[in-house]
Amino acid sequence: MTISRSASGSAPAASPASPADRTPAARQVYFDVLYRRRDPYGTRRRWYERRKRRVLLDALPRERFVRAFEPACGSGELTFELASRCDQVLASDFCGAALAQARQKVHALHNVEFAGHCVPTQWPAAAGRFDLIVVSELCSFLDAAEVAHLGQRCVASLDADGVLVACDWRHPFDARELDAEAAHALLDTIGLHRLVRHEEEDFLLTVWSRDGRSVARQEGIV
């Protein structure tokens, strides 16, 4: 099973039934149906979602980045905010309806590019390297082998000072393959330094970097 997901932590108000199998075709149908509704996860209207994005952005160890990659961009709310911190953002999703919503969200921005990828099998190898990769609400839809594959893809695509962020909903839901703790534990093994681990009842946020120094050490304060 290979799957991409919207940048949301909470479940949609009324989600389609989880497919009985985990094939790409079944997942494609699941998300195509889901994104027939506008902003199905409430990423725009819910304070939970807006606050979670703020926590994620505040956890980044640098103020500015050159090139960011955001797989599973969903309706583009996080994409829009990443664009204010990055010179360029490549956002992708495998759901065409989600990409259409994301394009509409960021239509006035000139530093965002969109692509269709079903990660981790499909990856923007030709797009070069990134100094920031944000994997938000994706790992829950992958099995352990796929999360390990995703981690390898991320490491291979990160610059020498690259940063990886993962954020995942912690409550059970029907379509979940892997819980947040198990997924982030796998990403802990890919050879990056963990800088941040933020735990709440609702979501888990982890930040890794090739540079193991704290923000204060990077700025020469200590």
Side-chain angles (χ1 to χ4, degrees), residues 176-198:
R176 186 172 76 174
E177 286 280 349
L178 198 65
D179 65 51
E181 287 74 14
H184 290 217
L186 286 168
L187 295 175
D188 271 332
T189 69
I190 62 178
L192 301 176
H193 301 280
R194 187 205 292 169
L195 298 182
V196 176
R197 182 178 172 92
H198 177 88

Side-chain angles (χ1 to χ4, degrees), residues 127-140:
R129 301 176 74 82
F130 305 95
D131 58 344
L132 175 63
I133 299 176
V134 179
V135 182
S136 181
E137 306 301 344
L138 169 60
C139 293
S140 296

Side-chain angles (χ1 to χ4, degrees), residues 61-62 163 195 209 211-222:
R62 299 203 301 276
V163 172
L195 298 182
S209 178
D211 186 343
R213 295 175 298 164
S214 70
V215 175
R217 291 189 185 281
Q218 288 182 42
E219 293 200 336
I221 300 172
V222 293

Side-chain angles (χ1 to χ4, degrees), residues 63-84:
E63 185 175 8
R64 294 290 307 176
F65 293 85
V66 179
R67 295 193 73 229
F69 177 44
E70 184 199 2
C73 67
S75 57
E77 294 297 320
L78 180 57
T79 311
F80 182 85
E81 298 192 41
L82 286 172
S84 68

Side-chain angles (χ1 to χ4, degrees), residues 21-184:
D21 61 55
R22 303 305 197 201
T23 64
R27 289 297 193 178
Q28 186 76 59
V29 171
Y30 176 83
F31 281 98
D32 285 345
V33 172
L34 189 66
Y35 274 93
R36 287 175 187 170
R37 299 195 300 274
R38 184 71 182 168
D39 190 24
Y41 288 97
T43 55
R44 189 167 303 173
R45 70 180 183 276
R46 288 175 172 164
W47 165 240
Y48 166 80
E49 295 288 351
R50 298 196 304 273
R51 175 184 173 272
K52 184 185 67 173
R53 290 195 296 274
R54 176 60 60 187
V55 172
L56 187 155
L57 292 165
D58 286 347
L60 296 178
R62 299 203 301 276
E63 185 175 8
R64 294 290 307 176
F65 293 85
V66 179
R67 295 193 73 229
F69 177 44
E70 184 199 2
C73 67
S75 57
E77 294 297 320
L78 180 57
T79 311
F80 182 85
E81 298 192 41
L82 286 172
S84 68
R85 299 278 295 273
C86 305
D87 294 343
Q88 295 178 306
V89 177
L90 173 61
S92 76
D93 206 292
F94 84 151
C95 176
L99 284 174
Q101 292 187 25
R103 286 189 174 98
Q104 184 175 10
K105 172 66 183 179
V106 304
H107 73 278
L109 303 180
H110 301 292
N111 63 332
V112 180
E113 178 185 355
F114 289 99
H117 296 118
C118 187
V119 299
T121 304
Q122 298 174 338
W123 196 260
R129 301 176 74 82
F130 305 95
D131 58 344
L132 175 63
I133 299 176
V134 179
V135 182
S136 181
E137 306 301 344
L138 169 60
C139 293
S140 296
F141 290 99
L142 303 176
D143 62 28
E146 289 169 323
V147 171
H149 188 191
L150 174 68
Q152 294 166 4
R153 292 280 207 180
C154 290
V155 167
S157 298
L158 282 175
D159 280 334
D161 61 348
V163 172
L164 170 64
V165 182
C167 185
D168 290 281
W169 176 246
R170 299 183 76 182
H171 300 285
F173 59 97
D174 289 343
R176 186 172 76 174
E177 286 280 349
L178 198 65
D179 65 51
E181 287 74 14
H184 290 217

